[in-house]
């Protein structure tokens, strides 16, 4: 819930229909923070498997989280790969991407030395393929998919 000055921004006991004009304007102004928060509030669906590989290590690492706006129309998508030198790190969804209105897909991938570099790349390709196939279910626009990350993920 959006909070404004320690109180809820919307008072359900106020009858807007019977209000005089100045009170109506004030009521609308007081609701604006609530409406702004509703636009920025998103949903995270966590721990979605994306890999065709069925071994235990793939099943534990090849999972992703997706952040999206359930009430929005199709949004541009960023597939965000975490860093860690391909030897460590965990998926996360950067606040800057959430705040910018993107649907964000954040995959984990298998790590060296448990796999070789080619398998890390295969995991990245599988996560992007999953995104193209499934992001429409999460209000993502499959015509606007961008791949990014930091450190090893970038």
């Amino acid at each position: 819930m959006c909070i404004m000055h320690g109180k809820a921004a919307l008072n359900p006991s106020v009858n807007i229909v019977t209000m005089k004009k100045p009170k109506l304007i004030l009521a609308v102004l007081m609701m604006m923070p609530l409406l702004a928060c509703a636009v920025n509030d998103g949903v995270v669906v966590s721990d979605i498997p994306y890999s065709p590989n069925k071994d235990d290590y793939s099943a534990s690492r090849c999972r992703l989280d997706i952040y999206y706006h359930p009430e929005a129309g199709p949004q541009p998508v960023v597939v965000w790969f975490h860093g860690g030198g391909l030897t460590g790190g965990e998926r996360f969804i950067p606040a800057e991407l959430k705040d910018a209105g993107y649907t964000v897909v954040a995959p984990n991938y298998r790590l060296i030395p448990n796999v070789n570099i080619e398998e890390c790349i295969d995991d990245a390709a599988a996560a992007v393929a999953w995104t193209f196939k499934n992001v429409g279910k999460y209000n993502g626009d499959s015509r606007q998919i961008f791949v990014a990350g930091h450190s090893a993920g970038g």
Side-chain angles (χ1 to χ4, degrees), residues 94-150:
E96 296 84 359
L97 294 176
K98 292 184 342 184
D99 293 344
Y102 291 102
T103 295
V104 183
V105 176
N108 263 348
Y109 46 86
R110 293 174 292 171
L111 302 170
I112 297 170
N114 298 311
V115 296
N116 60 39
I117 188 77
E118 290 82 8
E119 291 168 306
C120 295
I121 294 168
D122 288 345
D123 290 349
V128 172
W130 181 96
T131 301
F132 273 98
K133 184 176 179 182
N134 295 286
V135 77
K137 299 172 194 171
Y138 303 94
N139 293 341
D141 185 348
S142 63
R143 297 169 300 155
Q144 296 186 72
I145 296 176
F146 306 91
V147 178
H150 69 97

Side-chain angles (χ1 to χ4, degrees), residues 36-112:
C37 289
V39 171
N40 292 327
D41 287 346
V43 174
V44 176
V45 179
S46 297
D47 218 28
I48 302 169
Y50 68 82
S51 175
N53 299 324
K54 301 301 179 200
D55 63 279
D56 289 343
Y57 187 56
S58 294
S60 69
R61 286 294 301 176
C62 296
R63 295 181 169 273
L64 58 83
D65 296 343
I66 186 164
Y67 171 86
Y68 72 103
H69 300 273
E71 302 301 322
Q75 300 289 302
V77 180
V78 175
V79 181
W80 179 262
F81 289 98
H82 67 81
L86 301 177
T87 62
E90 291 292 328
R91 67 185 182 257
F92 69 96
I93 299 170
E96 296 84 359
L97 294 176
K98 292 184 342 184
D99 293 344
Y102 291 102
T103 295
V104 183
V105 176
N108 263 348
Y109 46 86
R110 293 174 292 171
L111 302 170
I112 297 170

